[in-house]
Amino acid sequence: MTKQASNPQTLHWQGLSDAHHLAPFSDFKQLKEKGPRIITKADGVYIWDSEGNKILDAMAGLWCVAIGYGRDELAEAASKQMKELPFYNLFFQTAHPPVLELAKAISDIAPAGMNHVFFTGSGSEGNDTMLRMVRHYWAIKGQPKKKVIISRINGYHGSTVAGASLGGMTYMHEQGDLPIPGIVHIPQPYWFGEGGDMTPEAFGIWAAEQLEKKILEVGEENVAAFIAEPIQGAGGVIIPPDSYWPKIREILAKYDILFVADEVICGFGRTGEWFGSDFYGNTPDMMTIAKGLTSGYIPMGGLIVRDEIVEVLNQGGDFNHGFTYSGHPVAAAVALENIRILRDEKIIERVKNETAPYLQKRLRELADHPLVGEVRGVGLLGAIELVQNKQTRARFEGKGVGMICRQHCFDNGLIMRAVGDTMIISPPLVISKAEIDELVTKARLCLDLTAAAVLA
Ligand code: PMP
């Protein structure tokens, strides 16, 4: 495919991309030929490209722009902090006000008993921190053999060596000999794709029982922790059957292993609660955070740790881990302002009471479409399964229907992401009902265009 831009500026930037840029999660050669779409500005729930197209960003960037684009308060918080103290590190017994105020603000919204935060630059680094901290914890407790982390196939926990190993994406494991030793995976609770003839409830129990099976196989004395996203995001907005989390809780209560919730997507209001763990009534020992923490305006991640774990870590001497940008003062100032806006403007309450029920109702209207096998969602997360046969849930093999639909969306002013043949959305938390109407209208149009292309 050749580049189709009409604006000379676009061609200039695409030329720079071609000559100098290696883009994440991209086919370098294909991108050279096609040229990236250049995004130049944004406001509210909309982004604009260099060709002047206005696009409704139903993915909030990469799940992260919770309070929407264009909030001056965050720019001002960053500017003020940059002038006052642009950088200082937290190593060797120093700290600065923004990181301490932020640790307190996060403790105030985190589940009861989770009052300490270790800061990182990203979600991946948060999970790297988790892996090292969990093993350190068991070593301090005199059980250094407890090293194995159980994770789930098709879970996503980042792209560093530890993050990609914890994740269960086979296409990531294939590059670079992953996973690293000491990480094992169990099946995911993805009923639509893998539930076969079982009811969702029975399948949820089966999927949860895989955790117990794995604990027994590896040996409780070797298992350090189980990590899971409350709802799998990058895997395709996989919402576990109602039976899943209660059964997992029952299993976790029987064994002496830690439970880590990866809240990088679900945290900071996505489900209509502050954290996905609140939504499901789960009580993790640690929670990884990033994305919505700063609404993506500046990179920041972290790990929230339960008090009992901290008490043990306090006995362990130095924790030999940290990053130059752990708790960066500018990122911390932005995060504080972001949390203030989420709280003072009651954005999460509005998601819970108004916009999430509305989005879920409107999205489900698409279930009658000939291509749609299932519509599911929670809070402001949604997934639309594209199928050839609605009854048997059979896919269009090898047609790349998801990517066809994604392209129609892009061309018609809507960003929806394709995970295989599952279309997913995660709009900014500030999306209005009128913007939800626009989203659903455009989604239906793009489903029609996709149907015309693949059924022709
Ligand atoms: N965990 C989850 C659940 C994620 O969705 C992501 C990012 N998509 C990460 C971890 C990794 O975060 P980052 O890209 O900031 O390293």
Side-chain angles (χ1 to χ4, degrees), residues 47-108:
I47 59 172
W48 279 261
D49 68 16
S50 57
E51 296 290 286
N53 297 304
K54 179 181 176 187
I55 305 166
L56 197 167
D57 182 8
M59 279 306 296
L62 271 178
W63 322 82
C64 49
V65 189
I67 63 168
Y69 296 97
R71 291 297 300 248
D72 287 345
E73 298 94 322
L74 267 58
E76 279 151 21
S79 163
K80 186 164 169 274
Q81 187 59 46
M82 276 197 187
K83 288 176 192 161
E84 210 162 284
L85 179 72
F87 179 75
Y88 202 73
N89 60 281
L90 307 173
F91 291 25
F92 318 131
Q93 306 189 2
T94 57
H96 47 66
V99 80
L100 302 175
E101 299 291 349
L102 178 61
K104 160 80 171 116
I106 293 173
S107 302
D108 287 348

Side-chain angles (χ1 to χ4, degrees), residues 215-253:
I215 295 171
L216 296 174
E217 186 188 310
V218 175
E220 185 186 359
E221 68 284 6
N222 299 314
V223 179
F226 170 56
I227 182 170
E229 303 155 79
I231 293 166
Q232 286 156 263
V237 180
I238 290 159
I239 296 166
D242 291 344
S243 55
Y244 184 74
W245 282 119
K247 185 70 188 172
I248 290 277
R249 287 197 293 272
E250 205 181 294
I251 294 166
L252 287 170

Side-chain angles (χ1 to χ4, degrees), residues 63 122-124 127 156-158 229 262 264-265 290-291:
W63 322 82
S122 67
S124 301
N127 282 326
Y156 189 85
H157 299 295
E229 303 155 79
D262 185 332
V264 169
I265 284 178
K291 296 192 190 279

Side-chain angles (χ1 to χ4, degrees), residues 107-184:
S107 302
D108 287 348
I109 55 177
M114 302 191 81
N115 292 298
H116 292 79
V117 190
F118 190 105
F119 288 102
T120 67
S122 67
S124 301
E125 288 177 7
N127 282 326
D128 276 55
T129 301
M130 178 283 293
L131 184 135
R132 299 199 58 209
M133 192 182 276
V134 156
R135 289 178 176 173
H136 182 49
Y137 164 87
W138 287 114
I140 297 168
K141 287 192 47 141
Q143 293 168 274
K145 272 177 62 195
K146 279 175 89 68
K147 282 202 175 101
V148 175
I149 314 238
I150 301 175
S151 174
R152 300 183 301 182
I153 296 166
N154 201 36
Y156 189 85
H157 299 295
S159 196
T160 52
V161 170
S165 295
L166 289 165
M169 305 295 186
T170 44
Y171 58 89
M172 290 173 81
H173 293 169
E174 280 159 11
Q175 298 177 339
D177 288 337
L178 303 178
I180 53 172
I183 295 172
V184 295

